Amino acid sequence: MAKLTVKDLELNGKRVFVRVDYNVPMEEVDGEMVINDDTRIRATLPTLDLLVEKGAKIILTAHLGRPKGQREASMSLRPVAAKLADLICRPVAFVDDCIGEKVANTVGTMQPGDIVLLENLRYYAEEEANDAAFAEKLAAVADAYVNDAFGAAHRAHASTAGVAEIVKSRGGQSAAGLLMERELIFLGDELDNPARPFVVILGGAKVSDKIKVIDRLLEKADTILIGGAMAYTFKLAQGYTVGSSLVERDKVDVARQALDKAKAKGVKFLLPTDNTVTESAKVDGKWTFKNERNNADVNIPDGVEGVDIGPETAAAYSAECAAAKTVLWNGPMGIFEDPRFAVGTFAVAEAVAGATKKGAKSIIGGGDSVKAINKAGLGEQVTFMSTGGGASLEFLEGKELPGVAALSDK
Ligand code: AMP
């Protein structure tokens, strides 16, 4: 890792500004906001435990939802402070602002190992604007900076980039938290020099979302397996018919270029040879699917839509996974939210878990693929699941993320 991590820092008695991802799903129950899923809070515990051990005064900052610069009561982080206190078995103070006198007063009374959570950063529009004066106000209580919010690292906001730069400019250190470190190792270092064969599985809705990732991975992968609606744009580029499947006609050229590059580089690039198809119609604004069946042909006839990879494709993709030493997976193989069309995605999830059992490293690139692998009950059986959606995609594209770039070099 080229960046400092929290393990490298001496923090005894120091005020540490820690950016975390506590953008947790909540719902109102009897007039109170209740946290539905505390995975993101739990995920920060190793970093927080280490900070406590190092004697840091821990100042946690985060965003919740999109309050767009307004004090939106339903988007307060207060319930998160209570939940964190339960999980970490220590008191967690809460300040109903993220800058100003109240923050300074509370931090002024902190002892080493104390934890305080500040109110939603996005109650100020200056946060997302990376406003320099706002970043200075946030940094007023920071001797050191730790970023454990990989999911927000692709945005140059005051708390993800501004504060880190200010701390460095004062001669302080800005470092990755343990969660962030794992993201950078698995999506970065591990994929720079992967054990081979390196098999990449890409799916999801659009070629346009992932073409940059495909382009970069064509430089590194031995095999690329394509599923999801994305596959149909590639099939158009190959001259096959796709019926009424979801396609991006304006991306057929881009798909063709990727196919040509795969050929030139000797990368095995597989597309579905069979598909689950349905007759789909919009009823009262909602898509309905009927008469689902396997279409055991590379061409999809008019009047039906491809909604999942078929059994022959699932078997071929599983066989490629079984031979892999490194697997990277991003994007479902079909409309997996509907159990009828989750079969291909679950078969791939099983294959990825199976490869991991045989010693391969498996890396799940965030978003819907993490949802899918959890839905298949296999979340514990892969090497790493990214917590980032947009951030993992941008990182896999090879972009420098502002929240990572702002950290101190080793
Ligand atoms: P992405 O966010 O790009 O990974 O796309 C995920 C979405 O792609 C999921 O909501 C899937 O339902 C959708 N998807 C996958 N395969 C298909 C398909 N064959 N047709 C339409 N949508 C699909």
Side-chain angles (χ1 to χ4, degrees), residues 103-121:
V103 175
N105 290 343
T106 303
V107 172
T109 64
M110 287 175 85
Q111 299 299 312
D114 282 355
I115 305 174
V116 60
L117 174 64
L118 306 185
E119 185 53 288
N120 195 343
L121 292 156

Side-chain angles (χ1 to χ4, degrees), residues 31-267:
E32 265 182 46
M33 297 307 291
V34 174
I35 296 165
N36 279 333
D37 180 348
D38 61 12
T39 310
R40 286 184 169 159
I41 307 174
R42 286 177 190 277
T44 63
L45 296 180
T47 297
L48 300 186
D49 286 339
L50 181 60
L51 287 167
V52 169
E53 202 179 293
K54 283 178 174 268
K57 299 174 181 174
I58 303 159
I59 302 153
L60 297 172
T61 61
H63 78 273
L64 180 65
R66 295 200 170 115
K68 301 214 163 108
Q70 303 297 317
R71 279 198 161 259
E72 201 42 77
S74 65
M75 294 177 197
S76 170
L77 282 166
R78 189 183 287 276
V80 175
K83 175 59 90 179
L84 174 61
D86 281 352
L87 294 173
I88 202 165
C89 302
R90 305 178 72 86
V92 175
F94 179 73
V95 180
D96 68 358
D97 209 339
C98 61
I99 53 170
E101 213 171 306
K102 280 189 214 163
V103 175
N105 290 343
T106 303
V107 172
T109 64
M110 287 175 85
Q111 299 299 312
D114 282 355
I115 305 174
V116 60
L117 174 64
L118 306 185
E119 185 53 288
N120 195 343
L121 292 156
R122 293 195 186 166
Y123 279 2
Y124 291 89
E126 294 95 322
E127 156 67 359
E128 290 187 80
N130 194 12
D131 178 86
F134 179 70
E136 281 291 350
K137 287 179 195 165
L138 288 172
V141 291
D143 300 319
Y145 174 90
V146 169
N147 192 342
D148 221 8
F150 179 75
H154 58 316
R155 308 271 183 240
H157 293 168
S159 67
T160 59
V163 179
E165 295 291 0
I166 292 168
V167 168
K168 281 194 304 186
S169 71
R170 292 181 193 147
Q173 291 172 310
S174 293
L178 299 179
L179 247 191
M180 172 77 92
E181 181 190 23
R182 275 170 63 76
E183 296 276 0
L184 302 181
I185 288 174
F186 282 105
L187 297 180
D189 303 355
E190 289 286 349
L191 299 185
D192 280 343
N193 286 303
R196 295 186 180 280
F198 175 24
V199 174
V200 175
I201 311 159
L202 291 172
K206 290 181 177 170
V207 173
S208 52
D209 286 346
K210 299 200 179 148
I211 191 63
K212 287 191 194 140
V213 173
I214 295 173
D215 196 53
R216 175 145 184 274
L217 291 172
L218 277 168
E219 307 284 342
K220 295 176 186 287
D222 299 296
T223 303
I224 297 186
L225 312 172
I226 302 281
M230 207 165 82
Y232 305 120
T233 303
F234 281 101
K235 289 182 82 73
L236 277 183
Q238 286 182 324
Y240 297 116
T241 61
V242 296
S244 50
S245 305
L246 183 64
V247 286
E248 290 171 284
R249 291 193 186 273
D250 59 336
K251 292 291 175 287
V252 172
D253 280 349
V254 168
R256 196 173 292 121
Q257 281 161 20
L259 289 167
D260 290 346
K261 184 166 172 180
K263 200 180 261 173
K265 296 250 166 213
V267 176

Side-chain angles (χ1 to χ4, degrees), residues 203-207 209-210 227-232 245-247 275-276 289 305-309 330-338 341 345 366-369 371 393:
K206 290 181 177 170
V207 173
D209 286 346
K210 299 200 179 148
M230 207 165 82
Y232 305 120
S245 305
L246 183 64
V247 286
N275 291 275
T276 300
F289 305 99
E305 174 183 356
V307 286
D308 193 6
I309 57 172
N330 185 296
M333 298 291 100
I335 307 178
F336 76 107
E337 295 90 342
D338 185 321
F341 318 133
T345 300
D368 271 334
S369 7
K371 265 189 217 154
L393 271 187

Side-chain angles (χ1 to χ4, degrees), residues 291-334:
N291 294 335
E292 62 270 16
R293 56 191 180 268
N294 186 43
N295 181 72
D297 191 273
V298 281
N299 287 297
I300 295 177
D302 283 349
V304 293
E305 174 183 356
V307 286
D308 193 6
I309 57 172
E312 182 183 279
T313 307
Y317 286 10
S318 299
E320 293 294 338
C321 283
K325 288 278 184 297
T326 308
V327 184
L328 170 68
W329 181 20
N330 185 296
M333 298 291 100

